[in-house]
Amino acid sequence: MEINELNARISTCTLCDLCKGRKNAVPGEGRVPADLMIIGEAPGKFEDAAGRPFIGMSGKFLTKYLEMAGIRREDVFITNAVKCRPPNNRKPKMEEIEACRPYLVSQLSLVNPKLVLALGVSAASALGMSFSHLSEIRGKVTDGMIGGKSVKIYVTFHPSFPMRFPKARDTFLDDLKKAKELVQG
Ligand code: URA
């Protein structure tokens, strides 16, 4: 399957109830294939309105920090653990992440990244990681197996966290720099 066909399937998906409240599904965007694939949590209001990932406040913050780390947004593929906006921006439920996982698996296989950068708890959960607190897995490289494919995963905060808590910004930037190093490896 090609990325356009996958996007079309995601845009008309009815596998979970999140489809009922969406204006647009947000499949993801960027390079295919790409060395780096970034996974966030779920679309917010702006993303739902436009059908594009990470274009609201946390998206602008993320894009700025990626640039500071020497990563150009146009060089990566960027998506979310779930492709439709949860009501009132609540966290996606595990059952919604699971319903959406086949799309993530297909994206991983098409993008074929050297590294997957997981932004926060929902992204790490979507990649099958188990942990009780993000601090256990943040800043570490993990070898994962997703849909029969081995992938190298690096976990950092969701950008909304350092956006809200300036003390976490240096760590976030260091993590993004480390991700760039790992890609260049
Ligand atoms: N937060 C996310 O996790 N993803 C988006 O696309 C926007 C905000």
Side-chain angles (χ1 to χ4, degrees), residues 90-154:
R90 66 156 167 77
K91 272 197 181 307
K93 297 176 187 165
M94 204 55 216
E95 71 222 48
E96 292 159 348
I97 291 177
E98 269 159 21
C100 217
R101 189 181 281 131
Y103 299 126
L104 199 61
V105 170
S106 300
Q107 288 174 325
L108 272 165
S109 129
L110 289 167
V111 175
N112 196 23
K114 287 188 190 156
L115 184 75
V116 174
L117 177 64
L119 304 176
V121 167
S122 297
S125 306
L127 293 166
M129 301 179 82
S130 51
F131 52 94
S132 42
H133 195 269
L134 192 75
S135 59
E136 289 160 30
I137 53 170
R138 202 228 93 244
K140 295 192 182 94
V141 182
T142 308
D143 288 310
M145 186 63 100
I146 294 139
K149 180 181 167 64
S150 67
V151 287
K152 203 193 270 188
I153 304 165
Y154 190 75

Side-chain angles (χ1 to χ4, degrees), residues 40-43 47 53-54 58 80 158:
E41 182 171 274
E47 291 79 15
F54 279 107
S58 59
N80 285 300
H158 187 277

Side-chain angles (χ1 to χ4, degrees), residues 39-50:
I39 305 176
E41 182 171 274
K45 185 172 179 225
F46 291 98
E47 291 79 15
D48 175 66

Side-chain angles (χ1 to χ4, degrees), residues 25-45:
V26 180
E29 67 184 21
R31 240 181 237 280
V32 181
D35 287 345
L36 179 62
M37 175 160 155
I38 301 178
I39 305 176
E41 182 171 274
K45 185 172 179 225

Side-chain angles (χ1 to χ4, degrees), residues 11 18-27 42-56 80 82-89:
S11 297
L18 293 183
C19 67
K20 293 182 184 160
R22 74 175 174 228
K23 287 200 180 74
N24 291 289
V26 180
K45 185 172 179 225
F46 291 98
E47 291 79 15
D48 175 66
R52 293 186 54 213
F54 279 107
I55 57 165
N80 285 300
V82 299
K83 314 304 192 206
C84 297
R85 183 191 182 198
N88 304 316
N89 292 348

